[in-house]
């Protein structure tokens, strides 16, 4: 649409503006250094900015964002789809998800794209072509703060000596 620009990659994206967008849509703010690292290690990053001032946005304002992580061959996961509340229900979220998914599937040849959705937006993602796993698999997330999670990490560190190991990126 006139007045909007889709930008591929994290270059030029202000982390403060991204955190502000996350906060507006109910996502947690992220520590800037870790957020920057997440963007640098993402497979694809796509964001939308306003190119000319309107009564709803200033020129250059971040309006929407989404990203994927991937192994680069078999699977990718969509994360952090966010659209400024004033711009929701106008197709911007769908445009982000469509472009990002098409880039991964057709541009990169990755056959499986997954995402985690809050219960209130599952239907919206279904209208974008996503479906619950037909095999019945359920998404799960490790909870490092749970008693079982703490115990697992403690056992693994004791058994493997990972406590003194360098971070994975440095190995």
């Amino acid at each position: 649409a006139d007045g909007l620009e889709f930008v591929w990659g994290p270059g030029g994206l202000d982390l403060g503006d991204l955190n502000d967008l996350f906060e507006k849509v109910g996502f947690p703010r992220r520590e800037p250094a870790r957020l920057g690292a997440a963007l640098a290690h993402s497979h694809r990053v796509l964001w939308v900015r306003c190119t000319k001032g309107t009564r709803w946005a200033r020129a250059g304002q971040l309006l929407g964002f989404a990203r994927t992580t991937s192994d680069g061959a078999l699977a990718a996961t969509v994360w952090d789809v966010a659209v400024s509340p004033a711009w929701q229900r106008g197709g911007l979220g769908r445009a982000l998800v469509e472009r990002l998914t098409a880039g991964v599937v057709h541009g990169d040849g990755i056959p499986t794209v997954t995402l985690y959705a809050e219960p209130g937006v599952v239907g919206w993602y279904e209208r974008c072509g996503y479906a619950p796993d037909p095999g019945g698999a359920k998404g799960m997330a490790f909870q490092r703060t749970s008693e079982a999670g703490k115990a697992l990490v403690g056992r693994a560190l004791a058994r493997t000596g990972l406590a003194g190991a360098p971070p994975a990126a440095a190995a």
Side-chain angles (χ1 to χ4, degrees), residues 19 22 45 68 74 78 80-81 84 89 101 122-123 140 148 162 171:
N19 260 328
F22 286 163
V45 173
T68 61
L74 300 175
V78 176
D80 300 327
V81 178
S84 179
R89 302 201 189 305
T101 303
V122 167
M140 299 182 78
L162 286 176

Side-chain angles (χ1 to χ4, degrees), residues 10 15 18 22 30-45 65 67-69 79-80:
L15 297 181
L18 183 54
F22 286 163
R30 287 95 187 253
E31 194 273 315
R34 293 184 70 79
L35 181 56
L39 295 180
H41 291 91
S42 292
H43 182 73
R44 286 184 176 259
V45 173
F65 175 86
R67 68 185 182 101
T68 61
T69 55
W79 299 98
D80 300 327

Side-chain angles (χ1 to χ4, degrees), residues 74-152:
L74 300 175
T77 302
V78 176
W79 299 98
D80 300 327
V81 178
V83 174
S84 179
W87 290 80
Q88 291 177 4
R89 302 201 189 305
L92 199 51
R94 177 180 290 277
L96 282 163
V97 170
E98 286 176 351
R99 285 168 170 79
L100 201 58
T101 303
V104 169
V105 172
H106 296 289
D108 302 328
I110 297 172
T112 303
V113 183
T114 61
L115 58 80
Y116 294 90
E118 295 290 330
V121 295
V122 167
W124 184 85
Y125 281 110
E126 287 175 335
R127 291 188 297 278
C128 289
Y130 285 80
D133 188 290
K138 299 292 181 197
M140 299 182 78
F142 178 74
Q143 297 296 310
R144 65 183 172 88
T145 58
S146 71
E147 291 305 313
K150 290 176 190 175
L152 179 140

